[in-house]
Each structure stands twice: as structure tokens, then as C-alpha cells.
Coordinates of all heavy atoms in Angstrom, one line a residue:
M1 N 116.3 209.1 185.3 CA 117.1 209.9 184.4 C 117.0 209.2 183.0 O 117.1 208.0 182.9 CB 118.5 209.9 184.8 CG 119.4 210.8 184.0 SD 121.1 211.0 184.5 CE 121.0 212.3 185.7
N2 N 116.9 210.0 182.0 CA 116.8 209.6 180.6 C 118.1 208.9 180.2 O 119.2 209.3 180.5 CB 116.6 210.9 179.8 CG 116.3 210.6 178.3 OD1 116.6 209.5 177.8 ND2 115.8 211.6 177.6
P3 N 118.0 207.7 179.5 CA 119.2 207.0 179.0 C 120.1 207.9 178.2 O 121.4 207.8 178.3 CB 118.7 205.8 178.2 CG 117.2 205.7 178.6 CD 116.8 207.0 179.1
T4 N 119.6 208.7 177.3 CA 120.4 209.6 176.5 C 121.2 210.5 177.4 O 122.3 210.8 177.1 CB 119.5 210.4 175.5 OG1 118.7 209.5 174.8 CG2 120.3 211.2 174.6
R5 N 120.5 211.0 178.4 CA 121.2 212.0 179.3 C 122.3 211.3 180.1 O 123.3 211.9 180.4 CB 120.1 212.5 180.3 CG 120.0 213.9 180.2 CD 119.2 214.4 181.4 NE 119.5 215.8 181.5 CZ 118.7 216.8 181.7 NH1 117.5 216.5 181.9 NH2 119.1 218.0 181.8
K6 N 122.1 210.0 180.5 CA 123.1 209.3 181.2 C 124.3 209.1 180.3 O 125.5 209.3 180.7 CB 122.6 207.9 181.6 CG 121.7 207.8 182.8 CD 121.3 206.4 183.1 CE 120.4 206.4 184.3 NZ 120.0 205.0 184.6
I7 N 124.1 208.7 179.0 CA 125.2 208.5 178.1 C 126.0 209.9 177.9 O 127.2 209.9 177.9 CB 124.7 208.0 176.7 CG1 124.2 206.6 176.9 CG2 125.8 208.1 175.7 CD1 123.5 206.1 175.7
L8 N 125.2 211.0 177.8 CA 125.9 212.3 177.6 C 126.7 212.6 178.9 O 127.8 213.1 178.8 CB 124.8 213.3 177.4 CG 125.3 214.7 177.2 CD1 126.2 214.8 175.9 CD2 124.1 215.7 177.0
L9 N 126.1 212.4 180.1 CA 126.8 212.7 181.3 C 128.1 211.8 181.4 O 129.2 212.3 181.8 CB 125.9 212.4 182.5 CG 126.5 212.7 183.9 CD1 126.9 214.2 184.0 CD2 125.5 212.3 185.0
V10 N 128.0 210.5 181.1 CA 129.2 209.6 181.2 C 130.2 210.1 180.2 O 131.4 210.2 180.5 CB 128.8 208.2 181.0 CG1 130.0 207.3 180.8 CG2 127.9 207.7 182.2
S11 N 129.8 210.4 179.0 CA 130.8 210.8 178.0 C 131.5 212.1 178.4 O 132.7 212.3 178.2 CB 130.0 211.0 176.7 OG 129.5 209.8 176.2
T12 N 130.7 213.1 178.9 CA 131.3 214.4 179.3 C 132.2 214.2 180.5 O 133.3 214.7 180.5 CB 130.1 215.3 179.7 OG1 129.2 215.5 178.6 CG2 130.7 216.7 180.1
T13 N 131.9 213.3 181.4 CA 132.7 213.1 182.6 C 134.0 212.4 182.1 O 135.1 212.7 182.6 CB 132.0 212.2 183.6 OG1 130.8 212.8 184.0 CG2 132.9 211.9 184.8
L14 N 133.9 211.4 181.2 CA 135.1 210.7 180.7 C 136.0 211.7 180.0 O 137.2 211.7 180.1 CB 134.7 209.6 179.8 CG 135.8 208.7 179.2 CD1 136.6 208.1 180.4 CD2 135.2 207.7 178.3
A15 N 135.4 212.5 179.1 CA 136.2 213.5 178.4 C 137.0 214.5 179.3 O 138.1 214.8 179.1 CB 135.4 214.3 177.4
A16 N 136.3 214.9 180.3 CA 136.9 215.8 181.3 C 138.0 215.1 182.1 O 139.0 215.7 182.3 CB 135.8 216.3 182.3
A17 N 137.8 213.9 182.4 CA 138.8 213.2 183.2 C 140.0 213.0 182.3 O 141.2 213.1 182.8 CB 138.2 211.8 183.6
L18 N 139.9 212.6 181.1 CA 141.0 212.5 180.1 C 141.7 213.8 179.9 O 143.0 213.8 179.9 CB 140.5 211.9 178.8 CG 140.1 210.4 178.9 CD1 139.5 210.0 177.5 CD2 141.3 209.5 179.2
S19 N 141.0 214.8 179.8 CA 141.6 216.2 179.6 C 142.5 216.5 180.8 O 143.6 217.0 180.7 CB 140.5 217.2 179.4 OG 139.9 217.0 178.2
I20 N 141.9 216.3 182.0 CA 142.6 216.6 183.2 C 143.9 215.8 183.3 O 145.0 216.2 183.7 CB 141.7 216.5 184.5 CG1 140.7 217.6 184.4 CG2 142.5 216.5 185.8 CD1 139.6 217.4 185.5
A21 N 143.8 214.5 183.0 CA 144.9 213.6 183.1 C 146.0 214.0 182.1 O 147.2 214.0 182.4 CB 144.5 212.2 182.8
T22 N 145.6 214.5 180.9 CA 146.6 214.9 180.0 C 147.3 216.2 180.4 O 148.5 216.3 180.3 CB 145.9 215.2 178.6 OG1 145.3 214.0 178.2 CG2 146.9 215.7 177.6
L23 N 146.5 217.1 181.0 CA 147.1 218.4 181.5 C 148.0 218.1 182.7 O 148.9 218.8 182.9 CB 146.0 219.4 181.7 CG 145.3 219.9 180.5 CD1 144.1 220.8 180.9 CD2 146.2 220.6 179.6
A24 N 147.6 217.2 183.5 CA 148.3 216.9 184.7 C 149.7 216.3 184.4 O 150.7 216.4 185.2 CB 147.6 215.9 185.7
D25 N 149.8 215.5 183.3 CA 151.1 215.0 182.9 C 152.0 216.1 182.4 O 151.8 216.7 181.4 CB 150.9 213.9 181.8 CG 152.2 213.2 181.4 OD1 153.2 213.4 182.1 OD2 152.2 212.5 180.4
A26 N 153.1 216.4 183.2 CA 154.0 217.5 182.8 C 154.7 217.2 181.4 O 155.0 218.2 180.7 CB 155.0 217.6 183.9
N27 N 154.8 216.0 181.1 CA 155.5 215.7 179.8 C 154.6 215.6 178.6 O 155.0 215.4 177.5 CB 156.3 214.4 179.9 CG 157.5 214.5 180.9 OD1 158.1 215.6 181.0 ND2 157.7 213.5 181.7
G28 N 153.3 215.6 178.9 CA 152.3 215.5 177.8 C 152.4 216.4 176.7 O 152.6 216.0 175.5
P29 N 152.4 217.7 176.9 CA 152.6 218.7 175.8 C 153.9 218.6 175.2 O 154.1 218.8 174.0 CB 152.4 220.1 176.5 CG 151.6 219.8 177.7 CD 152.0 218.4 178.2
R30 N 155.0 218.3 176.0 CA 156.3 218.2 175.4 C 156.4 217.0 174.5 O 156.9 217.1 173.4 CB 157.3 218.1 176.5 CG 158.7 218.1 176.0 CD 159.8 218.0 177.1 NE 159.2 218.3 178.4 CZ 159.9 218.2 179.6 NH1 161.1 217.7 179.6 NH2 159.3 218.5 180.7
K31 N 155.8 215.9 174.9 CA 155.8 214.7 174.1 C 155.0 214.9 172.8 O 155.5 214.5 171.7 CB 155.2 213.5 174.8 CG 156.0 212.9 175.9 CD 155.3 211.8 176.6 CE 156.1 211.2 177.7 NZ 155.4 210.2 178.5
T32 N 153.9 215.6 172.9 CA 153.2 215.9 171.7 C 154.0 216.8 170.7 O 154.0 216.5 169.5 CB 151.9 216.7 172.1 OG1 151.1 215.9 173.0 CG2 151.0 217.0 170.9
R33 N 154.7 217.8 171.2 CA 155.5 218.7 170.4 C 156.6 217.8 169.7 O 156.9 218.0 168.5 CB 156.1 219.8 171.2 CG 156.8 220.8 170.3 CD 157.4 222.0 171.1 NE 158.6 221.5 171.8 CZ 158.7 221.4 173.1 NH1 157.7 221.8 173.9 NH2 159.8 220.9 173.7
Q34 N 157.3 217.0 170.5 CA 158.4 216.2 170.0 C 157.9 215.2 168.9 O 158.5 215.0 167.9 CB 159.0 215.4 171.1 CG 159.8 216.2 172.1 CD 160.3 215.4 173.3 OE1 159.8 214.3 173.6 NE2 161.3 216.0 174.0
M35 N 156.7 214.7 169.2 CA 156.1 213.7 168.2 C 155.8 214.5 166.9 O 156.0 214.0 165.8 CB 154.9 213.0 168.7 CG 155.3 212.0 169.8 SD 153.9 211.2 170.6 CE 153.7 209.9 169.4
R36 N 155.3 215.7 167.0 CA 154.9 216.5 165.8 C 156.2 216.8 165.0 O 156.2 216.8 163.8 CB 154.2 217.7 166.2 CG 152.8 217.4 166.6 CD 152.0 218.7 166.8 NE 150.6 218.4 167.1 CZ 149.8 219.0 167.9 NH1 150.2 220.2 168.5 NH2 148.6 218.6 168.2
E37 N 157.3 217.2 165.7 CA 158.5 217.5 165.1 C 159.1 216.2 164.4 O 159.6 216.3 163.3 CB 159.5 218.0 166.1 CG 159.2 219.4 166.6 CD 160.1 219.8 167.8 OE1 160.9 219.0 168.3 OE2 159.9 221.0 168.3
E38 N 159.0 215.1 165.1 CA 159.4 213.8 164.5 C 158.6 213.5 163.2 O 159.2 213.1 162.2 CB 159.3 212.7 165.5 CG 160.0 211.4 165.0 CD 159.9 210.3 166.1 OE1 159.5 210.6 167.2 OE2 160.3 209.2 165.8
I39 N 157.4 213.7 163.3 CA 156.5 213.5 162.1 C 157.0 214.4 160.9 O 157.1 214.0 159.8 CB 155.0 213.7 162.4 CG1 154.5 212.5 163.3 CG2 154.2 213.8 161.2 CD1 153.2 212.7 163.9
A40 N 157.2 215.7 161.3 CA 157.7 216.6 160.2 C 159.0 216.1 159.6 O 159.2 216.2 158.4 CB 157.8 218.0 160.8
R41 N 159.9 215.6 160.4 CA 161.2 215.1 159.9 C 161.0 214.0 159.0 O 161.6 213.9 157.9 CB 162.2 214.8 161.0 CG 162.8 216.0 161.7 CD 163.9 215.6 162.6 NE 163.6 214.6 163.6 CZ 163.1 214.9 164.8 NH1 162.9 216.1 165.2 NH2 162.8 213.9 165.7
Y42 N 160.1 213.0 159.4 CA 159.8 211.9 158.6 C 159.1 212.3 157.3 O 159.4 211.7 156.2 CB 158.9 210.9 159.3 CG 159.7 210.1 160.3 CD1 159.1 209.9 161.6 CD2 160.9 209.4 160.0 CE1 159.8 209.1 162.6 CE2 161.5 208.7 161.0 CZ 161.0 208.6 162.2 OH 161.7 207.8 163.2
E43 N 158.3 213.3 157.3 CA 157.6 213.7 156.1 C 158.6 214.4 155.1 O 158.6 214.2 153.9 CB 156.5 214.7 156.4 CG 155.3 214.0 157.0 CD 154.2 215.0 157.5 OE1 154.5 216.2 157.6 OE2 153.1 214.5 157.8
E44 N 159.6 215.2 155.7 CA 160.6 215.8 154.8 C 161.5 214.6 154.2 O 161.8 214.7 153.0 CB 161.5 216.7 155.7 CG 160.8 218.0 156.1 CD 161.7 218.8 157.0 OE1 162.9 218.5 157.1 OE2 161.1 219.7 157.7
S45 N 161.8 213.7 155.0 CA 162.6 212.5 154.5 C 161.9 211.8 153.4 O 162.5 211.4 152.4 CB 163.0 211.6 155.7 OG 163.7 210.5 155.2
N46 N 160.6 211.6 153.6 CA 159.8 210.9 152.6 C 159.8 211.7 151.3 O 159.8 211.1 150.2 CB 158.3 210.7 153.1 CG 158.2 209.6 154.1 OD1 159.1 208.7 154.2 ND2 157.2 209.5 154.8
E47 N 159.6 213.0 151.4 CA 159.7 213.8 150.2 C 161.0 213.7 149.4 O 161.0 213.6 148.2 CB 159.3 215.3 150.5 CG 157.9 215.5 151.0 CD 156.9 215.0 150.0 OE1 157.0 215.3 148.8 OE2 155.9 214.4 150.4
R48 N 162.1 213.8 150.2 CA 163.4 213.6 149.6 C 163.5 212.2 148.9 O 164.0 212.1 147.8 CB 164.5 213.8 150.6 CG 164.8 215.2 151.0 CD 166.1 215.4 151.8 NE 166.1 214.5 153.0 CZ 165.7 214.9 154.2 NH1 165.2 216.1 154.3 NH2 165.8 214.1 155.2
L49 N 163.0 211.2 149.6 CA 163.1 209.9 149.0 C 162.2 209.7 147.8 O 162.6 209.1 146.8 CB 162.8 208.8 150.1 CG 163.8 208.6 151.2 CD1 163.2 207.7 152.3 CD2 165.1 208.1 150.7
K50 N 161.1 210.3 147.8 CA 160.2 210.3 146.6 C 160.9 211.0 145.4 O 160.8 210.5 144.3 CB 158.9 211.0 146.9 CG 157.9 210.3 147.8 CD 156.6 211.1 148.0 CE 155.7 210.4 149.0 NZ 154.5 211.2 149.3
A51 N 161.5 212.1 145.7 CA 162.3 212.8 144.6 C 163.4 211.9 144.0 O 163.6 211.8 142.8 CB 162.8 214.1 145.1
E52 N 164.1 211.2 145.0 CA 165.2 210.3 144.5 C 164.6 209.2 143.7 O 165.2 208.8 142.7 CB 165.9 209.8 145.8 CG 167.1 209.0 145.4 CD 167.9 208.5 146.7 OE1 167.7 209.1 147.8 OE2 168.7 207.6 146.5
V53 N 163.5 208.6 144.2 CA 162.9 207.5 143.4 C 162.5 208.0 142.0 O 162.7 207.2 141.0 CB 161.7 206.9 144.2 CG1 160.9 206.0 143.3 CG2 162.2 206.2 145.4
A54 N 161.9 209.2 141.9 CA 161.5 209.7 140.6 C 162.7 209.8 139.7 O 162.7 209.5 138.5 CB 160.8 211.0 140.8
T55 N 163.8 210.3 140.2 CA 165.1 210.5 139.5 C 165.6 209.1 139.0 O 166.0 209.0 137.8 CB 166.1 211.2 140.3 OG1 165.6 212.5 140.7 CG2 167.4 211.4 139.5
L56 N 165.6 208.2 139.9 CA 166.1 206.9 139.5 C 165.2 206.2 138.5 O 165.7 205.5 137.6 CB 166.2 206.0 140.8 CG 167.3 206.4 141.8 CD1 167.2 205.6 143.1 CD2 168.7 206.2 141.1
R57 N 163.9 206.4 138.6 CA 163.0 205.8 137.6 C 163.2 206.4 136.3 O 163.2 205.7 135.3 CB 161.5 206.0 138.1 CG 161.1 205.0 139.2 CD 159.6 205.1 139.4 NE 159.3 204.1 140.4 CZ 158.4 204.2 141.3 NH1 157.6 205.3 141.3 NH2 158.1 203.2 142.1
H58 N 163.4 207.7 136.3 CA 163.7 208.4 135.0 C 165.0 207.9 134.4 O 165.0 207.6 133.2 CB 163.7 209.9 135.2 CG 164.0 210.7 134.0 ND1 163.1 210.8 132.9 CD2 165.2 211.3 133.6 CE1 163.7 211.5 132.0 NE2 164.9 211.8 132.3
E59 N 166.0 207.7 135.2 CA 167.3 207.2 134.7 C 167.1 205.8 134.2 O 167.6 205.4 133.1 CB 168.3 207.2 135.8 CG 169.7 206.8 135.4 CD 170.7 206.9 136.5 OE1 170.4 207.6 137.5 OE2 171.7 206.3 136.4
L60 N 166.4 205.0 134.9 CA 166.1 203.6 134.5 C 165.4 203.6 133.1 O 165.7 202.8 132.2 CB 165.3 202.8 135.5 CG 164.9 201.4 135.2 CD1 166.2 200.6 135.1 CD2 164.0 200.9 136.3
E61 N 164.4 204.5 133.0 CA 163.6 204.6 131.7 C 164.6 204.9 130.6 O 164.5 204.3 129.5 CB 162.5 205.6 131.8 CG 161.7 205.8 130.6 CD 160.6 206.8 130.8 OE1 160.0 206.8 131.8 OE2 160.5 207.7 129.9
L62 N 165.5 205.9 130.8 CA 166.4 206.2 129.8 C 167.3 205.1 129.4 O 167.6 204.8 128.2 CB 167.3 207.4 130.2 CG 166.6 208.8 130.3 CD1 167.6 209.8 130.9 CD2 166.1 209.2 129.0
L63 N 167.7 204.3 130.4 CA 168.6 203.2 130.1 C 167.9 202.1 129.4 O 168.5 201.4 128.5 CB 169.3 202.7 131.4 CG 170.2 203.7 132.1 CD1 170.6 203.2 133.5 CD2 171.5 204.0 131.3
Q64 N 166.7 201.8 129.8 CA 166.0 200.6 129.3 C 165.3 200.9 127.9 O 165.5 200.1 127.0 CB 164.9 200.1 130.3 CG 165.5 199.4 131.5 CD 164.4 199.0 132.4 OE1 163.3 199.5 132.4 NE2 164.7 198.0 133.2
K65 N 164.6 201.9 127.9 CA 163.7 202.1 126.7 C 164.5 202.9 125.6 O 164.4 202.5 124.4 CB 162.5 202.9 127.1 CG 161.5 202.1 128.0 CD 160.3 202.9 128.3 CE 159.4 202.1 129.3 NZ 158.2 202.8 129.7
N66 N 165.1 203.9 125.9 CA 165.7 204.8 124.9 C 167.1 204.3 124.5 O 167.5 204.6 123.4 CB 165.8 206.2 125.4 CG 164.4 206.8 125.7 OD1 163.4 206.3 125.2 ND2 164.4 207.8 126.5
G67 N 167.8 203.6 125.4 CA 169.1 203.2 125.1 C 170.0 204.4 124.8 O 170.9 204.4 124.0
D68 N 169.8 205.5 125.5 CA 170.5 206.7 125.4 C 172.0 206.5 125.7 O 172.3 206.1 126.9 CB 169.9 207.8 126.3 CG 170.6 209.1 126.2 OD1 171.6 209.3 125.4 OD2 170.2 210.1 126.9
P69 N 172.9 206.6 124.8 CA 174.3 206.3 125.0 C 174.9 207.1 126.1 O 175.8 206.7 126.9 CB 175.0 206.5 123.7 CG 174.0 206.9 122.7 CD 172.7 207.0 123.4
R70 N 174.5 208.4 126.2 CA 175.0 209.3 127.2 C 174.6 208.8 128.6 O 175.4 208.8 129.6 CB 174.6 210.7 127.0 CG 175.3 211.4 125.8 CD 174.8 212.8 125.5 NE 173.4 212.6 125.2 CZ 172.5 213.6 125.2 NH1 172.9 214.8 125.5 NH2 171.2 213.4 124.9
A71 N 173.4 208.4 128.7 CA 172.9 207.9 130.0 C 173.6 206.6 130.4 O 173.9 206.4 131.6 CB 171.4 207.7 130.0
L72 N 173.8 205.7 129.4 CA 174.5 204.5 129.7 C 175.9 204.7 130.1 O 176.4 204.2 131.1 CB 174.5 203.6 128.4 CG 173.2 203.0 128.0 CD1 173.3 202.3 126.6 CD2 172.8 201.9 129.0
E73 N 176.6 205.7 129.5 CA 178.0 206.0 129.9 C 178.0 206.6 131.2 O 178.9 206.3 132.1 CB 178.6 207.0 128.9 CG 180.0 207.3 129.2 CD 180.7 208.2 128.2 OE1 180.2 208.4 127.1 OE2 181.8 208.7 128.5
R74 N 177.1 207.5 131.5 CA 177.1 208.2 132.9 C 176.8 207.1 133.9 O 177.5 207.1 135.0 CB 176.0 209.2 132.9 CG 176.0 210.0 134.2 CD 175.1 211.2 134.2 NE 173.8 211.1 133.5 CZ 172.7 210.6 134.0 NH1 172.7 210.1 135.2 NH2 171.6 210.5 133.2
A75 N 175.9 206.2 133.7 CA 175.6 205.2 134.7 C 176.8 204.3 134.9 O 177.2 203.9 136.0 CB 174.4 204.4 134.2
A76 N 177.5 203.9 133.8 CA 178.7 203.1 133.9 C 179.8 203.8 134.6 O 180.5 203.1 135.4 CB 179.2 202.7 132.5
R77 N 179.9 205.0 134.5 CA 181.0 205.8 135.2 C 180.7 206.0 136.6 O 181.5 205.7 137.5 CB 181.2 207.1 134.5 CG 181.9 207.1 133.1 CD 182.0 208.4 132.5 NE 182.7 208.4 131.3 CZ 184.0 208.5 131.2 NH1 184.8 208.7 132.2 NH2 184.6 208.5 130.0
E78 N 179.4 206.4 136.9 CA 179.1 206.8 138.3 C 178.8 205.6 139.1 O 179.2 205.5 140.3 CB 177.8 207.7 138.3 CG 178.1 209.1 137.7 CD 176.9 209.9 137.6 OE1 175.8 209.5 138.1 OE2 177.0 211.1 137.1
K79 N 178.0 204.6 138.6 CA 177.6 203.5 139.4 C 178.6 202.4 139.5 O 178.7 201.7 140.5 CB 176.3 202.9 138.9 CG 175.1 204.0 138.7 CD 174.6 204.4 140.0 CE 173.4 205.3 139.7 NZ 173.3 206.5 140.5
L80 N 179.3 202.1 138.3 CA 180.2 201.0 138.2 C 181.7 201.4 138.3 O 182.5 200.6 138.4 CB 180.0 200.2 136.9 CG 178.5 199.7 136.7 CD1 178.4 199.1 135.4 CD2 178.2 198.7 137.8
G81 N 181.9 202.7 138.2 CA 183.3 203.2 138.3 C 184.1 202.9 137.0 O 185.4 202.8 137.1
L82 N 183.5 202.7 135.9 CA 184.2 202.3 134.7 C 184.8 203.6 134.1 O 184.3 204.7 134.2 CB 183.3 201.6 133.7 CG 182.7 200.3 134.2 CD1 181.7 199.8 133.1 CD2 183.7 199.3 134.5
V83 N 185.9 203.4 133.4 CA 186.6 204.5 132.7 C 187.0 204.0 131.3 O 187.1 202.8 131.0 CB 187.9 205.0 133.4 CG1 187.5 205.6 134.8 CG2 188.9 203.9 133.6
R84 N 187.2 205.0 130.4 CA 187.7 204.7 129.1 C 189.2 204.4 129.1 O 189.9 204.9 129.9 CB 187.4 205.9 128.1 CG 186.0 206.1 127.8 CD 185.8 207.2 126.9 NE 184.4 207.3 126.5 CZ 183.9 208.3 125.8 NH1 184.7 209.3 125.3 NH2 182.6 208.4 125.5
P85 N 189.6 203.6 128.2 CA 191.0 203.3 128.1 C 191.8 204.6 127.9 O 191.5 205.5 127.2 CB 191.2 202.4 126.9 CG 189.9 201.8 126.6 CD 188.9 202.8 127.1
G86 N 192.9 204.7 128.7 CA 193.8 205.9 128.6 C 193.4 207.0 129.6 O 194.1 208.0 129.7
E87 N 192.2 206.9 130.2 CA 191.7 208.0 131.1 C 192.4 207.8 132.4 O 192.7 206.7 132.9 CB 190.2 207.9 131.3 CG 189.4 208.5 130.1 CD 187.9 208.5 130.4 OE1 187.4 207.7 131.2 OE2 187.3 209.4 129.8
L88 N 192.7 208.9 133.1 CA 193.2 208.9 134.5 C 192.1 209.3 135.4 O 191.3 210.2 135.1 CB 194.3 209.9 134.6 CG 195.6 209.6 133.9 CD1 196.6 210.8 134.0 CD2 196.2 208.3 134.3
V89 N 192.0 208.6 136.5 CA 190.9 208.8 137.5 C 191.6 209.3 138.8 O 192.5 208.7 139.3 CB 190.1 207.5 137.8 CG1 189.0 207.8 138.9 CG2 189.5 207.0 136.5
F90 N 191.1 210.4 139.2 CA 191.6 211.0 140.5 C 190.4 210.9 141.5 O 189.4 211.5 141.3 CB 192.0 212.5 140.3 CG 193.2 212.6 139.4 CD1 193.0 212.9 138.1 CD2 194.5 212.5 139.9 CE1 194.0 213.1 137.2 CE2 195.5 212.7 139.1 CZ 195.3 212.9 137.7
N91 N 190.7 210.2 142.6 CA 189.6 210.1 143.7 C 190.0 211.0 144.8 O 191.1 210.9 145.3 CB 189.5 208.7 144.2 CG 188.9 207.8 143.1 OD1 187.9 208.2 142.4 ND2 189.3 206.6 143.0
F92 N 189.2 211.9 145.2 CA 189.4 212.8 146.3 C 188.5 212.5 147.4 O 187.3 212.5 147.3 CB 189.2 214.3 145.9 CG 190.1 214.7 144.8 CD1 189.7 214.7 143.5 CD2 191.4 215.1 145.1 CE1 190.6 215.1 142.5 CE2 192.3 215.6 144.1 CZ 191.9 215.5 142.8
D93 N 189.0 212.2 148.6 CA 188.2 211.9 149.8 C 187.7 213.2 150.3 O 188.4 214.2 150.4 CB 189.0 211.2 150.9 CG 189.4 209.8 150.4 OD1 188.6 209.2 149.7 OD2 190.4 209.3 150.9
R94 N 186.5 213.2 150.7 CA 185.9 214.4 151.3 C 186.2 214.6 152.7 O 186.4 213.8 153.5 CB 184.3 214.4 151.1 CG 183.9 214.4 149.7 CD 182.4 214.4 149.6 NE 182.1 214.4 148.2 CZ 180.9 214.3 147.7 NH1 179.9 214.2 148.5 NH2 180.7 214.4 146.4

């Protein structure tokens, strides 16, 4: 038998055996679907985090380079909880 033919026969047999083993596992297709769903959730989470990082970078740029007083005040209020003298702060729990 030709060596190339032997390699082809062994490869085909191995592929068939793996296919049968995968189909024989009752949880195989279910696991695949679950893993694809999990990957989709992680990809969505990554997109949200990328957007958040972009927003934070933009805010940092405003604070560092431009010295935008409105951005500085907003950051001081939101991040540090600072208020102006005489202001009243109402905190509502969600």
C-alpha cells in the first residue's frame, strides 16, 4: 500500500472515530451550545468594558490636559463626594 494512502486512511479513520465519539456523548452538543453562549456573554461584557474605558480615558484627558473646570467639578462631586459650602446633599438608597 502506498504511504500516502496509508496516511489518508489513518487520518480518515481517526476523524471518523472522533466524530462518532463526539456524537455518542449526549452532553457534547449541549456543552458546545453552552460554551458558545458563554463566549457571547463574555464578548458583550468586553464591549461594555471597552466603552467604559473609552469614557474614562476621555474624562481623564479632560481633567489632565484641558483643565476643564466643569469636568473637574463633576469628578470632584461624583468620585469624591465633595460639595460646595452651603449645599445640601440628599442620598437616596436604591
Side-chain angles (χ1 to χ4, degrees):
M1 185 179 273
N2 185 343
T4 306
R5 241 189 157 138
K6 283 183 182 179
I7 293 172
L8 181 61
L9 180 63
V10 169
S11 299
T12 305
T13 304
L14 182 61
L18 289 174
S19 297
I20 291 170
T22 301
L23 293 174
D25 181 10
N27 293 325
R30 186 179 341 174
K31 285 180 186 177
T32 302
R33 186 182 73 246
Q34 288 173 346
M35 292 178 83
R36 285 185 180 150
E37 290 170 358
E38 188 175 356
I39 288 170
R41 284 193 303 272
Y42 284 132
E43 287 174 347
E44 289 174 17
S45 176
N46 283 344
E47 292 303 316
R48 283 193 304 271
L49 290 172
K50 284 178 187 178
E52 184 179 344
V53 167
T55 301
L56 291 172
R57 283 190 176 144
H58 179 70
E59 184 177 343
L60 179 63
E61 181 181 313
L62 289 176
L63 294 172
Q64 288 180 336
K65 294 182 181 178
N66 300 337
D68 183 359
R70 290 177 296 166
L72 288 170
E73 181 177 350
R74 184 170 39 84
R77 288 176 176 273
E78 292 176 4
K79 308 288 187 224
L80 302 175
L82 299 178
V83 295
R84 289 184 176 172
E87 285 184 331
L88 293 175
V89 178
F90 297 94
N91 290 322
F92 298 98
D93 291 331
R94 293 181 180 176

